[in-house]
Amino acid sequence: MIVKSLESPPSASVLANLQHYIQELQCLKKETAMVYIEKALREQREDSEPCKENLKEIIELLKLTSTQELLNETIAVEKERLNAERQKMKGDLEEINEIVNLVRVLRDYVMKTEYFAVKSGVSFPPYFRCPLSLELMLDPVIVASGQTYERQSIKKWLDHGLTVCPKTRQRLTHTNLIPNYTVKAMIATWCEENNNNRSSNSEHNTGNAFEEQKGDNSFRSNGECNGGQNIELEKWELQSPYIHSRSESFSSSISSSDCLLAVSKDVSRVSDKYQITNVLSVEAGGTENGKNNNSNTPNSHSRVDSHPVSNSGLNELTTSSHVNKLIEDLQNESIEVKSTAAEELRLLTKHNTENRIIVGQCGAVMPLLSLLYSNGKGTQEHAVTALLNLSINEDNKPLIMEAGAIEPLIHVLKTGNDGAKENSAAALFSLSVMENGKAKIGRSGAIKALAELLASGTLRGKKDAATALYNLSIFHENKARIVQAGAVKFLVELTDPADGMADKAVALLSNLSTIAEGRLEIAREGGIPSLVEIVESGSQRGKENAASILLQLCLHSSRFCTLVLQEGAVPPLVALSQSGTPRAKEKAQQLLSHFRNQREAATTKGKS
C-alpha cells in the first residue's frame, strides 16, 4: 500500500494514508515485541533466566539501541512503579515490579555482552561503566547507598523524584553526591595506558577529560562532608595514583561500598587485553615479575602472570565437579598434590569471571586459606594468588572475609616469598573495598605488616603495600595506625624520584598529613626538603599532592612554615600557581597567601 501511495501524485490524502500505514506497521512491531516480553516475564515468574535471544529481540524491537534510550526506559518504568506505590495500586504494582525486574535483566544483559560496545566499536571494562547509564564514568559519584554512578545519569534519576538506589533498590537517606576521585583516577589511567581517547562516535569524550580534575566545592570545607562525617579534605580531592591494575585481573579497587570504586556486584567479563584492579586492579595473581604482556601499557602497574605453566585453556569455563576434585586435592596429605591443585585453581581464576564464581561457590576459600600456613613457599604463593583472583568477584569478598582471611594473609606478609607477599598485600587491598573491610583490616594488625613490606619488600611489593595502605587510610582511624606503624619514615624515603614511587608515596603522605600525628612525623623524618623538591620538579600529580601536604603543615604550625620557607619553596610555588593543574594552582596560591599573611602579621606585631 505504501508503494502504491508513493506512485500516486502527492496530496494531503496520500500523506495521511502513508502516516496511517506507518502507524499500523509500528503497532505490528510492538505486538511482536509483546510476544517476547511476555515470554521473558513467564521465565522470570518461573525463576529461570530469560533467554538471551529473547532479550536481544526485545531490545531491537523496542528500539532500545543506545544507552540513553535504555536509561530513559529505566527511569520511565521506575516512575510508573513509584506512582503505583503512591496510589496503593497493589495489582498494578506487582505487574510493574515484574517489568522493572525485566528492564534490570535487559541492563545486565547489555552490560555482560557489551551489546552497545560491539555496535560502537568502543569497549571498556564493565566495572568502569556506570550501573545506570552503562557508559564509561567520567565524573563518578557515590550516593547514600554506597554505590557509584556517573554524576549526570544519577542526577537525572534523582531529578525525576526517584529516591531509591537503582542498583540495590535501597531507599536513599539523602541525595548528596560524593565525588569518587579514586575511580575517576583509575579510569583515567586505564584510558592512558590503553591509548584510548574514545572515538568520536562515542557519547562521551574521555581522553584529556581526566587531565583536568573537576572541583566539587561542596566537599572542600574544613574536612567535613555533608552529613557531618569527619572526612578530611584530601580524601575527596586526591587523585589516586593507585590504579593497581595487575592482572589476574583484579577489579577490586572498584567496589562501591566505600569511597572507592563502585563496581557492579558481579564484576562481569574483563577484557583479556587489560586485566585490572577497586579502586577498582591487581593480578589477582600473576604479577610475580612485574612483566606486562600488553605492549600498549608499558608503564602500567598492571601485572600479567609470568608463571611458566602453559596458559592454554585458561579462559575455558570449568565445571563444579572438576573444582570439587581440586578442592579435595587441596586437603590431600601430599604437599605436591596440594600445590598442583592450588596452582590449577590459580590459573582457572586468572582471567575467567565465571570460573571465579564457580570456584567460590564450590567452597574453595577455606582450603586455600589453610594453605597460607604451608611451609612450601610455592604452595603458599599459589594459594594466596588464587584467593586474590577470587576476591575480584564481589560475591566472593564476604566469603573470604567471613572465613577469617585477614590473619592468614598477615602471616603470608611476614613469612612468604616476594611474590606471595605482594599478592597478600593486594588481596588485603581488594578486601578493604568492602563496607566494613577497611575497619576490620585496620584493627587486625595488618597495617604493621604492610608498613614492614613498604620498608623491606621488592619494588613491586612496596607498591602493593603502598596501595593497600592508601586504601586503608581513607578510613579515618587507620591514619593514626599507619603513622604509628612507622610508615611515614619509609614513605619519605620513597619520595626520592630514583625509587620510582614518588607519586604513590606523596599521595599517601597527603592523606596522612590531615592528622596532627602525620604532620609531625612528616616534618620529623625530614620530609619538607623532599616535598619542596617535588613541587619544583615532580610530576603534575606529585606537585599537587606535595603542595597539599606543605599547605597542611604550614596552616597548622608556624615552625613548619618557617622550615618550608627556609627550603626556598616560594619560587617553585609561584611557578606552580601559574602553570600547574587547577588543584595544584589552588594549593600553591593558598600557601603563598598564607606566607603573605604570616609576614604581614609579623610586621604588624613588630611595629606594635
Side-chain angles (χ1 to χ4, degrees), residues 247-248 272 275 286 293 304-318 343-356 389:
S247 188
E248 290 195 297
D272 285 340
Q275 326 293 345
N293 290 347
V304 175
D305 194 350
S306 55
H307 196 265
V309 174
S310 169
N311 286 344
S312 60
L314 285 187
N315 290 319
E316 293 180 4
L317 188 64
T318 189
E343 180 181 31
E344 186 167 351
L345 286 170
R346 165 190 183 162
L347 294 172
L348 284 173
T349 55
K350 178 176 177 179
H351 293 306
N352 194 301
T353 304
E354 289 82 359
N355 283 352
R356 293 183 195 123
N389 291 344

Side-chain angles (χ1 to χ4, degrees), residues 22 46 73 84 257 271 287 376 404 452 461 539 541 583 597:
I22 290 169
E46 295 166 0
E73 188 72 20
S257 306
S271 163
T287 109
E452 290 171 0
S539 68
R541 186 175 292 160
R583 179 173 177 265
N597 293 339

Side-chain angles (χ1 to χ4, degrees), residues 108-307:
D108 288 346
Y109 167 76
V110 167
M111 179 76 87
K112 290 178 181 177
T113 61
E114 296 194 342
Y115 180 85
F116 297 139
V118 171
K119 288 179 171 289
S120 66
V122 181
S123 178
F124 295 93
Y127 36 82
F128 286 160
R129 294 181 183 275
C130 169
L132 184 55
S133 70
L134 304 182
E135 282 292 331
L136 182 73
M137 290 187 283
L138 299 184
D139 188 9
V141 292
I142 304 166
V143 299
S145 66
Q147 298 295 315
T148 297
Y149 298 94
E150 170 62 26
R151 182 186 294 275
Q152 188 176 3
S153 62
I154 192 63
K155 191 171 184 305
K156 184 174 181 179
W157 175 270
L158 296 172
D159 287 347
H160 279 85
L162 305 177
T163 56
V164 296
C165 174
K167 183 167 168 46
T168 66
R169 314 299 304 162
Q170 179 182 340
R171 185 72 59 184
L172 298 176
T173 56
H174 61 77
T175 57
N176 298 330
L177 302 179
I178 301 170
N180 193 332
Y181 290 118
T182 307
V183 171
K184 184 172 181 178
M186 290 178 67
I187 296 171
T189 300
W190 186 90
C191 290
E192 290 169 8
E193 292 176 351
N194 287 269
N195 297 323
N196 200 326
N197 293 325
R198 300 291 312 256
S199 57
S200 58
N201 63 347
S202 174
E203 292 182 25
H204 295 304
N205 291 318
T206 307
N208 298 326
F210 291 101
E211 293 178 12
E212 295 186 11
Q213 183 175 359
K214 292 184 180 179
D216 190 324
N217 295 327
S218 61
F219 293 96
R220 300 193 177 200
S221 57
N222 301 324
E224 298 285 335
C225 73
N226 296 340
Q229 288 176 293
N230 184 21
I231 302 175
E232 279 71 21
L233 176 71
E234 270 24 81
K235 170 180 172 180
W236 303 113
E237 290 187 331
L238 185 62
Q239 275 196 339
S240 167
Y242 296 105
I243 313 325
H244 195 147
S245 37
R246 305 202 275 178
S247 188
E248 290 195 297
S249 210
F250 148 68
S251 64
S252 61
S253 265
I254 293 190
S255 162
S256 44
S257 306
D258 295 294
C259 296
L260 265 195
L261 356 192
V263 202
S264 169
K265 187 168 184 182
D266 178 11
V267 177
S268 47
R269 209 164 298 276
V270 178
S271 163
D272 285 340
K273 182 178 179 183
Y274 187 87
Q275 326 293 345
I276 183 163
T277 155
N278 161 213
V279 203
L280 115 81
S281 309
V282 226
E283 157 191 304
T287 109
E288 286 93 317
N289 299 331
K291 293 180 181 179
N292 192 329
N293 290 347
N294 184 354
S295 60
N296 294 326
T297 60
N299 299 316
S300 70
H301 189 188
S302 82
R303 310 197 196 168
V304 175
D305 194 350
S306 55
H307 196 265

Side-chain angles (χ1 to χ4, degrees), residues 28 36 51 58 65 85 88-89 121 183 208 246-247 301 393 401 415 430 473 485 606:
L28 286 172
Y36 290 101
C51 171
I58 293 169
T65 50
E85 192 177 66
K88 298 182 179 178
M89 301 161 63
V183 171
N208 298 326
R246 305 202 275 178
S247 188
H301 189 188
N393 179 271
M401 285 289 282
T415 66
S430 175
S473 74

Side-chain angles (χ1 to χ4, degrees), residues 440-603:
K440 276 188 177 179
I441 294 170
R443 293 166 186 161
S444 69
I447 285 175
K448 181 68 175 174
L450 289 167
E452 290 171 0
L453 182 59
L454 196 63
S456 59
T458 62
L459 177 59
R460 180 62 63 186
K462 290 177 180 179
K463 287 181 177 180
D464 289 336
T467 302
L469 288 170
Y470 172 79
N471 202 28
L472 291 169
S473 74
I474 289 172
F475 184 64
H476 181 66
E477 71 180 50
N478 284 338
K479 293 178 182 179
R481 293 190 181 106
I482 294 170
V483 174
Q484 290 160 11
V488 171
K489 175 183 178 181
F490 307 122
L491 291 169
V492 169
E493 291 172 358
L494 292 170
T495 58
D496 184 345
D499 289 326
M501 276 193 62
D503 282 357
K504 293 181 182 294
V506 177
L508 180 49
L509 286 171
S510 181
N511 259 10
L512 301 180
S513 73
T514 59
I515 62 171
E517 304 99 300
R519 293 188 291 271
L520 183 61
E521 281 301 300
I522 290 169
R524 182 181 290 163
E525 295 297 338
I528 290 175
S530 298
L531 293 168
V532 172
E533 185 177 339
I534 289 171
V535 169
E536 184 172 10
S537 57
S539 68
Q540 291 283 25
R541 186 175 292 160
K543 289 178 179 181
E544 275 185 19
N545 289 321
S548 176
I549 298 168
L550 293 175
L551 179 61
Q552 288 284 345
L553 292 171
C554 292
L555 288 177
H556 289 88
S557 167
S558 57
R559 182 166 64 88
F560 294 162
C561 192
T562 301
L563 291 173
V564 172
L565 286 169
Q566 287 174 351
E567 288 298 324
V570 172
L573 284 169
V574 170
L576 188 61
S577 71
Q578 296 170 351
S579 61
T581 64
R583 179 173 177 265
K585 287 179 181 179
E586 178 189 343
K587 297 296 180 186
Q589 288 164 2
Q590 288 178 11
L591 199 45
L592 291 168
S593 176
H594 180 71
F595 291 155
R596 283 194 295 272
N597 293 339
Q598 291 284 91
R599 187 172 62 249
E600 289 169 4
T603 303

Side-chain angles (χ1 to χ4, degrees), residues 79-116:
K79 286 175 70 177
E80 288 293 329
R81 191 199 64 77
L82 186 61
N83 289 336
E85 192 177 66
R86 285 172 179 166
Q87 296 172 26
K88 298 182 179 178
M89 301 161 63
K90 188 174 180 182
D92 288 351
L93 184 57
E94 288 177 1
E95 292 179 4
I96 292 170
N97 278 331
E98 288 184 343
I99 295 294
V100 169
N101 287 334
L102 178 57
V103 172
R104 177 186 57 78
V105 171
L106 288 171
R107 296 164 56 72
D108 288 346
Y109 167 76
V110 167
M111 179 76 87
K112 290 178 181 177
T113 61
E114 296 194 342
Y115 180 85
F116 297 139

